[in-house]
């Protein structure tokens, strides 16, 4: 993370962060708190999902309290994007951002968190188009596992406003990821390794308190306090049905199987992903419903004995004595095998 902060400081320009997940916002806020000068930064949050938008609106109110510029955009439906309604809305929002940040098109630095190896997601692509320069941050530690999308689907996404072949524009020279060697070769010249854990080293106690206040309410703070004393096994869910990979029934069934298998080792904490909308009702399981990203627990130093998940970056970034990602390729293989723990508790 120190490399990211240094990069932004060297450019010395007003900076816009484009975020499509709560994790994206967490990374952005860590950077802003680490640098200071809040008036030089602006966070643009966008999503078509109700739960994600509600999370963003809550975070937005907290950011306002610290005078960190921000806006939340409801992406609505693909129809809105295809017929141009979203484009009109987003141009109006962009004008608002330019005015409030006191910058102009072509003069700001973009830190974009909303991309994969094939495209830049709209409306991040709009800010990318008019940026002076851009730096990209990965969506999560397992972003390299995002399945390829078909050529026709990519063409359709381009119609909706997504930017393809972003690596050819000349505006982008650095992409910060945690596992550079696992991304496509055509991106390798731009990839720079970074560690989210480094954020702990440059955030002071006051910054950490701000971070907690931005991403949690009273209920979430109680969850974190509980974990400080009960961090044995944690299982992280993924929004597998929300993203269309499997049905909700299948998703709940999968996590039911995982919980049942690992319950024999001790009490289970089930951390629900911020975009996971399912209700989990399981015996002898503490369901953590807080909408904060799991990476916040790592930044706060909460260490588990075992962190378990299915194709999730939460496992990779967790503080845990043993990490078990049941299958990184689940999104393409749709299968996994249980991995026994090292003896009973």
């Amino acid at each position: 993370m120190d490399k990211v902060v240094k990069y932004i400081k060297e450019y010395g320009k007003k900076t816009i962060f484009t975020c499509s997940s709560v994790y994206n916002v967490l990374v952005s806020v860590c950077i802003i708190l680490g640098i200071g000068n809040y008036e030089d930064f602006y966070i643009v949050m966008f999503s078509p999902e109700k739960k994600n938008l509600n999370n963003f609106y809550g975070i937005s109110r907290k950011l306002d309290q610290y005078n960190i510029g921000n806006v939340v955009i409801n992406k609505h439906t693909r129809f809105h994007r295809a017929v141009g309604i979203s484009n009109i809305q987003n141009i109006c929002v962009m004008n608002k951002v330019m005015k409030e940040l006191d910058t102009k098109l072509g003069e700001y630095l973009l830190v974009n968190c909303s991309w994969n190896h094939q495209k830049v997601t709209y409306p991040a692509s709009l800010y990318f188009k008019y940026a002076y320069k851009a730096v990209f941050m990965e969506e999560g530690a397992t972003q390299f596992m995002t399945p390829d999308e078909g050529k026709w689907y990519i063409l359709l996404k381009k119609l909706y406003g997504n930017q393809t072949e972003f690596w050819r524009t000349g505006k982008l020279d650095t992409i910060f990821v945690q596992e550079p060697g696992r991304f496509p070769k055509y991106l390798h010249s731009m990839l720079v390794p970074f560690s989210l854990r480094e954020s702990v080293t440059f955030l002071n106690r006051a910054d950490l308190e701000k971070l907690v206040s931005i991403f949690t309410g009273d209920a979430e703070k109680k969850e974190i306090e509980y974990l400080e004393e009960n961090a044995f096994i944690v299982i992280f869910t993924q929004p597998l049905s929300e993203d269309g990979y499997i049905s909700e029934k299948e998703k709940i069934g999968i996590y039911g199987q995982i919980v049942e298998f690992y319950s024999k080792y001790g009490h289970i904490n089930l951390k629900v992903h911020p975009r996971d909308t399912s209700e989990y009702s399981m015996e002898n399981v503490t369901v953590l419903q807080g909408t904060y990203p799991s990476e916040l627990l790592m930044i706060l130093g909460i260490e588990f004995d075992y962190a378990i998940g299915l194709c999730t970056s939460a496992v990779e970034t967790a503080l845990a004595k043993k990490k078990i990602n049941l299958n990184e390729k689940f999104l393409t293989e749709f299968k996994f095998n249980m991995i026994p723990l090292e003896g009973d508790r």
Side-chain angles (χ1 to χ4, degrees):
M1 190 67 82
D2 289 342
K3 295 177 183 177
V4 186
V5 170
K6 182 180 179 181
Y7 183 102
I8 295 173
K9 281 184 174 180
E10 287 179 350
Y11 264 94
K13 287 185 173 290
K14 297 295 181 73
T15 302
I16 296 172
F17 296 83
T18 45
C19 305
S20 58
S21 73
V22 180
Y23 167 73
N24 294 165
V25 184
L26 176 72
V27 172
S28 302
V29 172
C30 283
I31 294 170
I32 293 171
L33 292 177
I35 296 177
N37 302 321
Y38 300 169
E39 67 275 7
D40 290 338
F41 303 102
Y42 208 100
I43 300 177
V44 180
M45 300 170 275
F46 47 86
S47 176
E49 302 172 10
K50 183 178 179 181
K51 184 177 181 181
N52 212 23
L53 285 169
N54 287 339
N55 293 344
F56 284 160
Y57 289 129
I59 291 171
S60 175
R61 290 190 289 271
K62 303 287 186 64
L63 293 173
D64 287 342
Q65 294 175 11
Y66 293 108
N67 295 316
I68 298 176
N70 71 92
V71 67
V72 178
I73 299 171
N74 185 340
K75 290 180 64 172
H76 297 291
T77 65
R78 291 175 182 171
F79 171 78
H80 283 80
R81 298 193 287 279
V83 300
I85 296 175
S86 290
N87 203 45
I88 294 172
Q89 174 195 15
N90 285 310
I91 290 174
C92 291
V93 171
M94 174 174 270
N95 290 334
K96 174 179 181 288
V97 173
M98 295 300 110
K99 182 178 180 180
E100 293 186 359
L101 188 57
D102 191 23
T103 189
K104 298 178 181 179
L105 299 179
E107 294 187 359
Y108 59 86
L109 174 68
L110 173 68
V111 179
N112 175 40
C113 302
S114 186
W115 64 282
N116 63 37
H117 56 267
Q118 290 181 289
K119 66 181 188 297
V120 178
T121 304
Y122 186 83
S125 57
L126 190 63
Y127 291 85
F128 182 52
K129 178 180 179 180
Y130 293 107
Y132 168 74
K133 278 287 185 179
V135 55
F136 285 10
M137 299 284 296
E138 67 180 12
E139 168 68 24
T142 55
Q143 181 173 327
F144 58 86
M145 292 307 306
T146 303
D148 290 343
E149 295 174 323
K151 292 182 178 179
W152 286 107
Y153 194 58
I154 286 292
L155 182 62
L156 185 63
K157 288 290 187 71
K158 190 173 182 179
L159 173 65
Y160 293 151
N162 293 267
Q163 168 71 55
T164 59
E165 298 190 338
F166 53 84
W167 54 92
R168 300 182 186 275
T169 63
K171 291 186 177 183
L172 175 67
D173 56 18
T174 304
I175 303 176
F176 289 102
V177 298
Q178 296 181 68
E179 295 285 346
R182 306 183 81 168
F183 281 81
K185 290 184 178 179
Y186 56 82
L187 295 178
H188 280 189
S189 64
M190 300 179 176
L191 300 178
V192 176
F194 89 101
S195 171
L196 182 61
R197 291 185 181 179
E198 291 176 357
S199 60
V200 178
T201 64
F202 67 78
L203 293 179
N204 58 38
R205 186 175 184 84
D207 290 333
L208 287 174
E209 290 177 355
K210 290 178 183 177
L211 197 66
V212 172
S213 70
I214 289 170
F215 288 92
T216 67
D218 292 339
E220 288 85 359
K221 288 175 183 176
K222 288 181 180 179
E223 282 188 1
I224 293 172
E225 290 173 0
Y226 161 82
L227 287 175
E228 289 174 345
E229 303 294 332
N230 300 277
F232 181 54
I233 299 176
V234 63
I235 296 174
F236 299 103
T237 77
Q238 277 280 73
L240 300 173
S241 60
E242 288 76 7
D243 290 340
Y245 291 108
I246 58 177
S247 69
E248 182 179 32
K249 183 178 180 181
E250 288 173 317
K251 178 185 67 178
I252 293 174
I254 284 172
Y255 287 114
Q257 293 175 44
I258 296 172
V259 165
E260 182 178 5
F261 180 85
Y262 288 104
S263 290
K264 63 188 176 187
Y265 296 99
H267 184 76
I268 301 292
N269 297 300
L270 185 71
K271 174 64 177 77
V272 179
H273 190 279
R275 293 198 297 112
D276 188 343
T277 59
S278 297
E279 294 290 335
Y280 295 93
S281 179
M282 304 173 182
E283 293 184 2
N284 302 317
V285 174
T286 299
V287 179
L288 306 171
Q289 296 280 12
T291 55
Y292 53 87
S294 60
E295 290 80 4
L296 179 62
L297 300 176
M298 178 274 295
I299 293 173
L300 295 177
I302 295 178
E303 183 176 3
F304 299 90
D305 285 68
Y306 298 96
I308 303 164
L310 184 60
C311 190
T312 172
S313 61
V315 168
E316 305 304 323
T317 55
L319 287 179
K321 296 173 184 176
K322 178 72 174 180
K323 302 179 182 182
I324 300 176
N325 219 340
L326 295 174
N327 185 4
E328 289 183 341
K329 299 180 179 180
F330 179 81
L331 300 183
T332 54
E333 296 179 350
F334 299 104
K335 60 182 180 180
F336 65 96
N337 295 311
M338 302 295 185
I339 300 175
L341 303 185
E342 300 166 351
D344 295 339
R345 188 180 183 184

